[in-house]
């Protein structure tokens, strides 16, 4: 009798498998987007070029964790255009170069709150759909630019996000590349941001191609956790210089360990305080997350900028720079 029951149960299991029916408590397998579990993502709402920001704009820097059963989790940092974010010094300094403090956007420093969301996802061909708790949705196009890494590009959302880019792999979430091992090459990408025009007192928006070029001779390894460079500014880069000349720009790229990196730059003509080269004013502060491929190789960053210390001032946007 027992043997007969076992045969019958195996037949039932086979029928369920063929028909797609599920046993109670059984999770349906869902393809990972691009075959990758962990994505570093930048996403936000940016006013279209030529329009005035409304005040609803925001930027979010996140890690997306996909399971194989259709659930997804997000850990993220968030900034919005209606709130000021004073710069905060990080632990790492530029000792070995000019020995200055390095700053990040308030909310990204060690110990700052990391928000989280839970949701579900589906994949269909090269399309990824996510529904987060509360019912908000995102839609992404999935691509595989090279073996070992996938990319997602935002195509729509139900909550105002209109620009986003992410890169994913199956490398461990704990894996990161120390700053002194980051390849010294050009990382090309794109930015989209809202900004306050100091000379006119008006709000504006812009987008375009950009890069972080670590192959330039001006970069110096200050210490194991920091790079710094001093470069001539372009004709439209340092318009706030008192003498009206282009001047120079100081860059810092730093780490405290892990995938979080800290990118900061400012026009040196704005430094005050006599002999010190250090600046505490409104620098461009850009929190970033490392992009790592399946082999553990460093491929670049996704990031945001939250430079404003007062609501609707400075710059707020998203960017990404990779070697793909």
């Amino acid at each position: 009798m027992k043997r007969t029951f076992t045969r019958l149960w195996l037949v039932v299991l086979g029928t369920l498998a063929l028909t797609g029916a599920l046993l109670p408590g059984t999770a349906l397998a869902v393809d990972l987007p691009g075959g990758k579990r962990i994505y570093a993502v930048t996403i936000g709402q940016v006013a279209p070029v030529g329009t005035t920001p409304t005040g609803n704009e925001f930027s979010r820097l996140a890690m997306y964790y996909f399971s194989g059963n259709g659930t997804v989790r997000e850990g993220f940092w968030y900034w919005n255009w209606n709130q000021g974010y004073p710069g905060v010094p990080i632990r790492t300094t530029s000792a070995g170069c000019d020995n200055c403090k390095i700053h990040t956007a308030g909310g990204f420093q060690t110990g700052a709150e990391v928000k989280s969301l839970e949701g579900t996802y589906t994949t269909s061909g090269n399309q990824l759909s996510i529904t987060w708790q509360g019912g908000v949705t995102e839609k992404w196009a999935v691509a595989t630019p090279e073996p070992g890494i996938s990319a997602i590009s935002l195509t729509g959302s139900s909550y105002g996000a209109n620009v986003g880019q992410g890169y994913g792999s199956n490398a461990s979430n704990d894996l990161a590349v120390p700053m002194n091992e980051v390849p010294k090459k050009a990382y090309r990408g794109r930015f989209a941001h809202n900004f306050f025009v100091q000379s006119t007192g008006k709000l504006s928006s812009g987008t375009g191609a950009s890069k972080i070029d670590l192959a330039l001779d001006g970069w110096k390894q200050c210490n194991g956790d920091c790079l710094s460079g001093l470069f001539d500014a372009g004709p439209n880069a340092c318009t706030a210089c008192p003498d009206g000349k282009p001047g120079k720009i100081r860059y810092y790229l730093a780490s405290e360990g892990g995938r979080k990196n800290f990118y900061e730059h400012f026009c040196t003509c704005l430094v005050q305080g006599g002999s010190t080269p250090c600046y505490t004013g409104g620098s461009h502060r850009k929190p970033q997350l490392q992009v790592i491929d399946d082999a553990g190789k460093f491929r670049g960053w996704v990031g945001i900028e939250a430079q404003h210390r007062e609501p609707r001032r400075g710059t707020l946007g998203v960017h990404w720079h990779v070697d793909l």
Side-chain angles (χ1 to χ4, degrees), residues 92-102 218-229 250 252 277-278:
T92 299
T93 70
S94 63
C97 288
D98 52 8
N99 200 32
C100 292
K101 292 182 178 179
I102 299 170
W219 286 100
K220 178 183 178 181
Q221 189 80 48
C222 305
N223 53 67
D225 296 318
C226 175
L227 293 168
S228 183
R250 168 67 67 182
Y252 301 119
C278 304

Side-chain angles (χ1 to χ4, degrees), residues 120-131:
T120 59
Y121 75 95
T122 60
T123 57
S124 177
N126 67 342
Q127 301 300 310
L128 165 67
S129 298
I130 300 175
T131 300

Side-chain angles (χ1 to χ4, degrees), residues 19-290:
T19 61
L22 291 174
L23 295 172
T26 303
L28 178 65
V30 178
D31 290 338
L32 297 169
K36 308 305 178 187
R37 291 186 177 277
I38 301 176
Y39 281 76
V41 175
T42 180
I43 183 172
Q45 179 177 346
V46 179
V49 175
T51 67
T52 301
T54 65
N56 297 319
E57 290 76 17
F58 65 89
S59 295
R60 196 167 84 225
L61 191 56
M63 297 295 293
Y64 284 15
Y65 305 93
F66 295 92
S67 71
N69 66 357
T71 61
V72 59
R73 178 173 59 87
E74 173 186 7
F76 68 97
W77 298 264
Y78 174 86
W79 297 264
N80 70 66
W81 190 232
N82 270 331
Q83 182 175 344
Y85 296 94
V88 179
I90 64 172
R91 291 194 301 255
T92 299
T93 70
S94 63
C97 288
D98 52 8
N99 200 32
C100 292
K101 292 182 178 179
I102 299 170
H103 304 84
T104 191
F108 197 63
Q109 70 275 18
T110 298
E113 179 187 9
V114 182
K115 299 176 173 64
S116 64
L117 282 174
E118 304 285 339
T120 59
Y121 75 95
T122 60
T123 57
S124 177
N126 67 342
Q127 301 300 310
L128 165 67
S129 298
I130 300 175
T131 300
W132 296 111
Q133 60 195 65
V136 298
T137 61
E138 295 168 4
K139 294 188 180 298
W140 302 80
V142 184
T144 304
E146 290 184 10
I149 193 165
S150 291
I152 55 175
S153 302
L154 188 72
T155 58
S157 79
S158 66
Y159 62 97
N162 59 1
V163 59
Q165 185 75 7
Y167 296 91
S169 75
N170 293 317
S172 167
N173 189 53
D174 297 328
L175 185 64
V177 176
M179 195 54 58
N180 59 354
E181 296 181 13
V182 169
K184 306 306 187 289
K185 60 199 302 185
Y187 299 89
R188 301 180 184 276
R190 194 166 187 84
F191 73 90
H193 62 204
N194 306 301
F195 59 96
F196 176 77
V197 182
Q198 191 72 37
S199 60
T200 64
K202 295 182 179 181
L203 306 179
S204 191
S205 57
T207 186
S210 63
K211 65 180 175 179
I212 297 177
D213 193 350
L214 299 185
L216 295 174
D217 290 339
W219 286 100
K220 178 183 178 181
Q221 189 80 48
C222 305
N223 53 67
D225 296 318
C226 175
L227 293 168
S228 183
L230 183 64
F231 302 97
D232 290 334
N236 300 315
C238 290
T239 56
C241 286
D243 58 7
K245 296 180 180 179
K248 293 182 178 294
I249 302 178
R250 168 67 67 182
Y251 293 84
Y252 301 119
L253 185 57
S255 170
E256 294 180 338
R259 290 203 185 191
K260 291 173 64 176
N261 285 175
F262 308 91
Y263 187 37
E264 180 183 20
H265 55 89
F266 58 86
C267 297
T268 57
C269 68
L270 302 177
V271 174
Q272 298 178 354
S275 60
T276 177
C278 304
Y279 181 55
T280 59
S283 62
H284 292 267
R285 304 175 187 114
K286 299 177 177 180
Q288 303 196 140
L289 293 173
Q290 291 186 356

Side-chain angles (χ1 to χ4, degrees), residues 3-15:
R3 188 173 299 170
T4 301
F5 175 79
T6 301
R7 290 197 191 98
L8 288 172
W9 182 235
L10 289 174
V11 170
V12 171
L13 285 174
T15 302

